[in-house]
Amino acid sequence: MKKPDIIFRLSLRSVRLNLLRSVLAALGIVIGVVAIASIGMISANMTLSVAEELSATANVLVVKPDTGSGDSGFGRESESNDDEDDYLTNDQFNDIRKAAGSSYVYYLYSESDDIETGSTSGRATIYAMDDEAMKDILSLAEGSFPSTTSQVVVGPDFVERYDIEVGSKITIGDEDDEEGEVTVRVTGILEERGMSMDISSDNAIITAEKFFTGRYGGEDEYTQVNVVVDDINDIDAITESIDESLNRKDDEVQIQDSSRMLNTISSTLGTLTSFALAIAGISLLVAAVSIFNVMMMSVTERIREIGILRSIGTQKDEILRMFVYEAAIIGIVGAGIGAVLSLLIGYVVVFGMVGTTEYFFAWDSLANVPEGMIVGAVICVISGVYPAWRASNLDPIEALRAE
Amino acid sequence: MGSTPVIALENVRKIYPLPSGDVHALDGVSLAIEKGEFVAIMGSSGSGKSTLMNQIGCLDVPTEGTVRIEGQDIGQLSDYDLTALRRDSIGYIFQKFNLIPLLTAFENVEYPWLLRQRRYDDTGRVQHLLDQVGIDAALAAHRPSELSGGQQQRVAVARALVNEPAILLCDEPTGNLDSKTSTQIMEMLAALNHEGRTVIMVTHDAATAEYADRTILIQDGRIA
């Protein structure tokens, strides 16, 4: 078996001889690598998870009234804007349908209202849509779609939150309100749809169109129109076609697709990740100071040994290498342990924060581990360079005199 | 005309500038040592004998004058070449043994060999040298801290010999040893000298100096 370089062996033995000190120094790197890799993995998993959920509705275009407020993003359904243009008319709906060709086009009403179920009260999003569209677009996990105005279906998260089941009654509104309160019965529970931009039904109540317009008014005044495109490749052409048809004179509508939403989410996540990584970076900075300190102690303790090594013919660069190796051993071992731990801790943290580990083993996620390792090891080596340089430039006569 | 001396000093001065005034550690030393000589350098503390040893040992260069080791003017050499000269031409034996604490006795002897040869010893030379100085393989597996002073100095002798240096440079080689072990070490050095090695030894002890062919006395930085 080939023996390692004698200089490397000296470094290895020095680390072993001062094991506790070396382990404590490596611990800083372990923590730094775990922090960086875990944060990176959380971010990657969130992005992948959102991208996957949105890709399910990648073929959907959402058309909303242009209220002149620029990028409206998503989640506007709870907004109450008195602007007369904050809804789409039936004419506009028909224009969109014409422009969208063979695509499936449906309209959506949405409102936010107080609700009460048994002893729990809160506020919920209430959607309404054409009966046909409801059956085409939404899937039931159990029960049936509403057949009268006093019947509704609800999303699975809503069921969990308010602890209800098929047959439960929900009181919508407040008796002090203008609309008063009304009690409806749950006839069906929807299947989970996840995050989507067209309709967030998981945590909402979906009512019949007549119920909605009867209660909130605004018949043929739609909150948004969704276009389900047959072929995803046509999405740009259809967007353009709707834009030309409706926005020729004035900007009447905004057309959004999931890529735009994904970009917004990715960009927000990116900003948050950078901030978290900067904080994690501080732990690596502390580790670097700790390694520097350990290396300086090692040099000071071994001045005489350095003198001996120099006097019997060890070159400066070999002394330099010896101490850089020592820092590298601490760094690589620390980064290695950090990598293993970040896989374990990262898995738990990703599960806790993202809710799924489905994307944990995706390259975008796992790549954070070697990246964290490299950063940790490199920082360690850099911290060792000055002490090593100092050691190599000691005067051999002075060093031999040291006790 | 005789052969070139293995060590030749011509009017060597070593001046240490200090705020209180320059210190002339060596003040015009000229000296020639032929191959195969056994020379003792004696002098009181602060006489300049350690400075002289550092010059001969290529650990330092003179402020003035020339020091030639095997014909090479050390004042003209780079740090790299000086280090290589120490490695290849000089075997050091120190008063405090100065073995590398991280390495075993065997590895201590092997170390200068590795520095020079860039390969591990597969000729058995290292153990052969250790056997010659009375350190068997079992003892050679121990760290210096596990050996007695006499054993450590034996290992140091073996280490000094491993690269077949032209010069053996001994700085108070028996200073930390009892009289019995001192005699053994001195006899070992004398035997090496008989085999043809040049031995330079700094000592305080007149009895030890008697092993040498020639004694040089240093006083106030000059040869007395």
Side-chain angles (χ1 to χ4, degrees):
Chain A
M1 197 178 79
K2 197 176 181 298
K3 288 193 204 170
D5 171 20
I6 185 77
I7 302 293
F8 180 74
R9 257 160 73 193
L10 281 171
S11 315
L12 200 61
R13 282 186 195 185
S14 170
V15 171
R16 280 215 316 248
L17 205 65
N18 300 296
L19 195 62
L20 182 65
R21 197 172 70 187
S22 307
V23 165
L24 287 176
L27 200 60
I29 291 293
V30 171
I31 294 168
V33 170
V34 168
I36 283 199
S38 300
I39 289 168
M41 283 193 284
I42 290 168
S43 167
N45 277 271
M46 278 185 175
T47 309
L48 287 168
S49 172
V50 168
E52 176 68 21
E53 284 193 12
L54 286 179
S55 75
T57 53
N59 62 336
V60 178
L61 288 173
V62 172
V63 186
K64 289 186 175 181
D66 191 329
T67 53
S69 60
D71 188 351
S72 61
F74 48 93
R76 279 175 49 82
E77 53 272 15
S78 61
E79 238 177 62
S80 57
N81 192 332
D82 290 336
D83 193 308
E84 59 176 357
D85 286 338
D86 73 343
Y87 56 84
L88 295 172
T89 62
N90 199 40
D91 287 345
Q92 285 172 320
F93 171 67
N94 287 327
D95 287 345
I96 293 167
R97 210 152 56 168
K98 248 183 259 165
S102 63
S103 305
Y104 188 92
V105 182
Y106 65 99
Y107 55 79
L108 203 63
Y109 297 91
S110 79
E111 191 57 72
S112 175
D113 208 341
D114 292 328
I115 58 144
E116 199 180 324
T117 61
S119 56
T120 318
S121 59
R123 218 170 156 79
T125 301
I126 297 161
Y127 286 115
M129 56 213 287
D130 174 69
D131 290 349
E132 286 294 311
M134 195 186 294
K135 285 169 190 156
D136 291 339
I137 297 300
L138 303 176
S139 311
L140 281 171
E142 57 178 295
S144 56
F145 284 109
S147 53
T148 69
T149 52
S150 63
Q151 292 179 346
V152 297
V153 288
V154 292
D157 292 349
F158 185 92
V159 167
E160 203 174 311
R161 191 164 151 199
Y162 291 98
D163 191 23
I164 54 173
E165 53 190 18
V166 172
S168 296
K169 287 188 171 153
I170 304 173
T171 307
I172 298 176
D174 191 71
E175 56 185 343
D176 300 333
D177 279 356
E178 195 183 314
E179 294 104 348
E181 62 176 32
V182 60
T183 301
V184 292
R185 199 164 65 83
V186 176
T187 58
I189 296 167
L190 296 171
E191 274 182 2
E192 189 172 347
R193 281 187 105 228
M195 181 188 286
S196 61
M197 57 180 298
D198 52 351
I199 171 168
S200 304
S201 60
D202 287 354
N203 196 16
I205 301 171
I206 293 95
T207 69
E209 187 178 358
K210 272 187 186 155
F211 169 85
F212 191 97
T213 52
R215 180 170 170 76
Y216 303 108
E219 193 176 356
D220 294 340
E221 291 173 1
Y222 315 126
T223 312
Q224 70 185 63
V225 170
N226 296 337
V227 180
V228 184
V229 178
D230 294 334
D231 183 348
I232 198 159
N233 296 319
D234 295 339
I235 207 147
D236 287 340
I238 293 172
T239 305
E240 209 172 305
S241 162
I242 296 171
D243 190 50
E244 264 181 33
S245 164
L246 283 98
N247 291 339
R248 188 176 298 172
K249 283 185 194 158
D250 299 313
D251 282 348
E252 289 183 27
V253 296
Q254 284 184 355
I255 308 151
Q256 297 167 8
D257 61 30
S258 57
S259 67
R260 189 160 151 189
M261 187 169 168
L262 185 60
N263 284 343
T264 311
I265 294 173
S266 297
S267 146
T268 310
L269 271 178
T271 311
L272 287 173
T273 305
S274 305
F275 179 68
L277 280 177
I279 292 171
I282 293 172
S283 69
L284 271 181
L285 195 69
V286 173
V289 173
S290 153
I291 302 280
F292 181 83
N293 188 27
V294 163
M295 294 310 298
M296 286 304 278
M297 276 166 73
S298 184
V299 170
T300 309
E301 276 175 11
R302 292 162 68 194
I303 286 182
R304 188 176 169 78
E305 189 187 321
I306 295 162
I308 301 168
L309 291 169
R310 289 283 285 136
S311 69
I312 62 174
T314 311
Q315 296 289 358
K316 277 183 177 179
D317 68 303
E318 287 165 328
I319 300 283
L320 183 95
R321 242 168 59 208
M322 190 166 87
F323 283 93
V324 170
Y325 280 163
E326 199 172 316
I329 291 166
I330 295 174
I332 290 168
V333 170
I337 296 171
V340 174
L341 285 182
S342 47
L343 283 174
L344 300 174
I345 294 172
Y347 193 85
V348 174
V349 174
V350 163
F351 183 75
M353 291 193 66
V354 186
T356 173
T357 51
E358 200 182 336
Y359 312 101
F360 186 78
F361 295 102
W363 173 246
D364 280 357
S365 161
L366 282 187
N368 288 285
V369 176
E371 277 169 23
M373 263 182 89
I374 290 166
V375 170
V378 166
I379 280 182
C380 226
V381 171
I382 290 172
S383 310
V385 166
Y386 174 72
W389 177 84
R390 233 186 91 155
S392 68
N393 280 287
L394 284 171
D395 176 9
I397 299 170
E398 291 294 324
L400 274 173
R401 270 192 211 133
E403 284 305 322
Chain B
M1 218 179 126
S3 61
T4 314
V6 69
I7 299 164
L9 279 76
E10 283 169 37
N11 202 24
V12 170
R13 284 175 206 281
K14 184 67 193 181
I15 302 166
Y16 294 107
L18 291 177
S20 53
D22 291 354
V23 173
H24 292 250
L26 291 179
D27 195 8
V29 172
S30 294
L31 174 69
I33 297 171
E34 300 295 331
K35 187 176 185 314
E37 268 196 281
F38 191 152
V39 176
I41 298 171
M42 294 188 77
S44 56
S45 286
S47 59
K49 61 182 192 302
S50 290
T51 309
L52 179 62
M53 280 294 277
N54 289 339
Q55 298 287 330
I56 297 172
C58 303
L59 287 166
D60 202 359
V61 291
T63 314
E64 283 175 32
T66 54
V67 175
R68 290 181 194 279
I69 305 295
E70 290 194 298
Q72 293 188 72
D73 180 355
I74 67 166
Q76 306 298 318
L77 297 180
S78 64
D79 181 81
Y80 186 91
D81 292 333
L82 267 182
T83 307
L85 192 61
R86 289 201 293 272
R87 182 190 65 202
D88 301 342
S89 301
I90 298 161
Y92 288 88
I93 298 166
F94 301 91
Q95 180 180 359
K96 291 176 183 167
F97 324 129
N98 282 353
L99 297 176
I100 302 160
L102 294 174
L103 301 177
T104 63
F106 182 92
E107 288 166 337
N108 263 283
V109 178
E110 191 184 34
Y111 182 80
W113 163 275
L114 284 171
L115 287 181
R116 184 174 187 181
Q117 305 290 339
R118 303 276 150 193
R119 63 183 171 83
Y120 282 88
D121 171 37
D122 51 6
T123 61
R125 172 176 176 74
V126 171
Q127 190 52 54
H128 177 68
L129 277 170
L130 282 163
D131 287 338
Q132 276 189 329
V133 296
I135 303 287
D136 61 26
L139 213 50
H142 287 82
R143 293 268 178 87
S145 57
E146 297 158 352
L147 302 176
S148 71
Q151 288 167 335
Q152 288 191 54
Q153 197 61 302
R154 287 161 191 274
V155 174
V157 171
R159 178 180 69 183
L161 294 172
V162 77
N163 278 341
E164 298 271 5
I167 303 157
L168 268 187
L169 204 53
C170 315
D171 185 3
E172 305 272 10
T174 60
N176 272 12
L177 302 174
D178 60 48
S179 59
K180 191 180 158 208
T181 318
S182 295
T183 309
Q184 288 172 348
I185 293 291
M186 285 316 299
E187 280 171 1
M188 205 179 276
L189 292 176
L192 287 165
N193 175 245
H194 284 304
E195 287 170 16
R197 276 178 216 285
T198 311
V199 181
I200 320 291
M201 175 177 68
V202 166
T203 184
H204 273 109
D205 182 17
T208 308
E210 278 179 19
Y211 283 91
D213 306 328
R214 179 153 67 113
T215 300
I216 295 169
L217 190 65
I218 300 279
Q219 227 168 13
D220 298 329
R222 295 170 189 218
I223 294 177

